[in-house]
């Protein structure tokens, strides 16, 4: 080290004409950079390993400053978001189609009821109308990111039960 006005000077060669040596460098996600802290690097501010020779000669223990920015998980996040959006689109179309089918079934029962008593015909058609309405509500829940609530889970189960009972009833009538 060299003395300057009774103090020890650390920097003996880097930008000596400047009042303060400041280096700025942009880093991106996943980057790892090693910076010199011994002021002896030939690639300052980057470390070139000169401190190893310095430490051996002087008995010092100075080492570099290592900075790293973890890799971004944005690619994984984007992929997950894409999967979720695809699923939402399929759910929306499925519920919307289900609503349409139930309403069409209800209308068909009303228009081609045949020998079915009017009271039973209205009850069956209104059941399909109700199921169509539930499907439409579920389709709007998909768009509003509300499908995780217990209410919509119960609506899903109700719709499944209605469809199952309808299929069972249809099968019994045909037998």
């Amino acid at each position: 080290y060299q003395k300057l006005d009774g103090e020890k000077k650390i920097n003996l060669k880097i930008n000596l004409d400047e009042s303060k040596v400041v280096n700025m460098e942009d880093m991106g996600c996943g980057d790892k950079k090693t910076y010199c802290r011994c002021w002896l690097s030939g690639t300052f501010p980057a470390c070139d390993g000169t401190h190893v020779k310095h430490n051996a000669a002087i008995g010092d223990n100075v080492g570099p400053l290592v900075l790293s920015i973890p890799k971004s998980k944005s690619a994984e996040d984007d992929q997950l978001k894409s999967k979720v959006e695809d699923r939402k689109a399929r759910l929306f179309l499925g519920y919307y189609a289900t609503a349409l089918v139930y309403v069409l079934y209800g209308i068909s029962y009303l228009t081609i009821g045949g020998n079915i008593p009017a009271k039973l015909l209205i009850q069956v058609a209104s059941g399909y109308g109700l199921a169509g309405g539930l499907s439409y509500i579920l389709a709007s829940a998909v768009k509003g990111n509300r499908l995780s609530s217990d209410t919509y889970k119960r609506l899903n189960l109700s719709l499944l039960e209605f469809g199952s009972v309808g299929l069972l009833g249809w099968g019994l009538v045909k037998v």
Side-chain angles (χ1 to χ4, degrees):
Y1 291 105
Q2 188 177 17
K3 290 197 175 200
L4 181 67
D5 295 333
E7 297 294 322
K8 292 185 178 178
K9 188 173 181 178
I10 296 171
N11 178 14
L12 302 176
K13 65 179 186 174
I14 310 296
N15 300 339
L16 296 175
D17 56 331
E18 295 180 21
S19 63
K20 181 177 10 175
V21 178
V22 176
N23 297 93
M24 305 268 306
E25 196 170 330
D26 290 331
M27 290 180 63
C29 291
D31 284 352
K32 179 179 175 183
K33 306 234 176 162
T34 308
Y35 294 96
C36 175
R37 292 194 305 173
C38 71
W39 293 87
L40 302 173
S41 173
T43 58
F44 191 86
C47 175
D48 67 358
T50 303
H51 63 274
V52 175
K53 292 178 189 172
H54 165 79
N55 289 345
I58 305 294
D60 207 347
N61 66 351
V62 70
L65 168 66
V66 180
L67 297 176
S68 65
I69 298 177
K71 287 185 179 178
S72 172
K73 292 187 178 184
S74 66
E76 293 171 18
D77 292 344
D78 289 345
Q79 188 178 22
L80 182 60
K81 285 178 187 174
S82 177
K83 277 184 174 180
V84 168
E85 289 303 316
D86 288 348
R87 181 170 183 255
K88 280 176 53 178
R90 288 192 308 273
L91 279 171
F92 176 76
L93 289 174
Y95 283 132
Y96 195 72
T98 303
L100 186 62
V101 167
Y102 275 130
V103 169
L104 289 175
Y105 273 141
I107 291 170
S108 70
Y109 268 102
L110 287 174
T111 56
I112 56 170
N115 295 331
I116 301 173
K119 191 174 183 179
L120 178 61
L121 191 62
I122 290 172
Q123 287 175 342
V124 169
S126 64
Y128 282 117
L130 179 63
L134 285 177
S135 295
Y136 186 77
I137 289 168
L138 286 168
S140 68
V142 169
K143 274 195 161 183
N145 291 323
R146 298 183 313 266
L147 268 184
S148 62
S149 77
D150 286 339
T151 301
Y152 291 105
K153 288 177 185 174
R154 286 192 290 271
L155 285 175
N156 260 325
L157 288 174
S158 298
L159 201 55
L160 179 64
E161 287 174 23
F162 180 80
S164 300
V165 168
L167 282 174
L168 181 64
W170 180 75
L172 289 175
V173 169
K174 291 290 183 182
V175 172

